[in-house]
Amino acid sequence: KAGVTQTPRYLIKTRGQQVTLSCSPISGHRSVSWYQQTPGQGLQFLFEYFSETQRNKGNFPGRFSGRQFSNSRSEMNVSTLELGDSALYLCASSTDPGLAGEQYFGPGTRLTVT
Amino acid sequence: QQQVKQSPQSLIVQKGGISIINCAYENTAFDYFPWYQQFPGKGPALLIAIRPDVSEKKEGRFTISFNKSAKQFSLHIMDSQPGDSATYFCAASKRSGGSYIPTFGRGTSLIVHP
């Protein structure tokens, strides 16, 4: 079974631009979560989608948004990029998030904002 | 406010030694405690997890010890190997909107010398 895939793997953007990151979960997984990983703040939860519905959202500004499609693929968007948005953005998928089971992480997208 | 405190930030042990990483939490709503292992360039991978009704869980060389009254839990890696060199994250999860949402510790960088 293929793992979680994220595209692109690396991205360089300029302050003020917007960016869209993509995540394809493991086949059969209906839940997708997004995390931001930085050296200063560590791993922080962004949001979680299940069956195309956002069920949970972390403490991030409205510039961060996401969506999930009917095939469970998910995208996250960051508008009006700031230097502090430079981070590794991780996507994780699971079969049923209500079971506190295993989340499978993708390799992440490394976003650099200049 | 850091809800999950992890220590030490970095750890160096000799091959065959015991690696111990500690975490503490405040929110008693947390009821699932996973540990993740992350290698450079990869996303975190679930290593082992425990629920608060169990005081210890062992899987191979990895053991979680859990102290519910002290709100502390720790990861012990027995017979540490150079291949164990990675960053380890503890997490505490609680139910929200039908899902389990993790709060991560800041991570421990483990180096095992041969």
Side-chain angles (χ1 to χ4, degrees), chain B residues 75-87:
Chain B
L75 176 69
H76 291 63
I77 305 175
M78 311 300 287
D79 187 27
S80 298
Q81 299 296 311
D84 296 331
S85 297
T87 300

Side-chain angles (χ1 to χ4, degrees), chain A residues 22-66:
Chain A
S22 181
C23 171
S24 293
I26 292 172
S27 177
H29 286 194
R30 293 195 297 161
S31 172
V32 173
S33 297
W34 288 89
Y35 298 86
Q36 181 194 65
Q37 186 174 26
T38 60
Q41 298 298 318
L43 264 165
Q44 293 187 288
F45 170 76
L46 278 159
F47 27 66
E48 180 235 352
Y49 288 87
F50 182 76
S51 294
E52 302 180 64
T53 301
Q54 184 182 89
R55 297 215 295 193
N56 288 282
K57 189 176 192 304
N59 189 25
F60 278 82
R63 300 185 297 107
F64 292 81
S65 63

Side-chain angles (χ1 to χ4, degrees), chain A residues 43-102:
Chain A
L43 264 165
Q44 293 187 288
F45 170 76
L46 278 159
F47 27 66
E48 180 235 352
Y49 288 87
F50 182 76
S51 294
E52 302 180 64
T53 301
Q54 184 182 89
R55 297 215 295 193
N56 288 282
K57 189 176 192 304
N59 189 25
F60 278 82
R63 300 185 297 107
F64 292 81
S65 63
R67 59 178 177 169
Q68 187 180 34
F69 302 96
S70 58
N71 62 358
S72 294
R73 191 177 69 85
S74 177
E75 289 181 346
M76 68 162 282
N77 183 276
V78 187
S79 62
T80 318
L81 283 165
E82 300 177 0
L83 295 178
D85 297 333
S86 294
L88 180 67
Y89 289 88
L90 292 159
C91 165
S93 75
S94 62
T95 51
D96 184 344
L99 294 178
E102 184 167 354

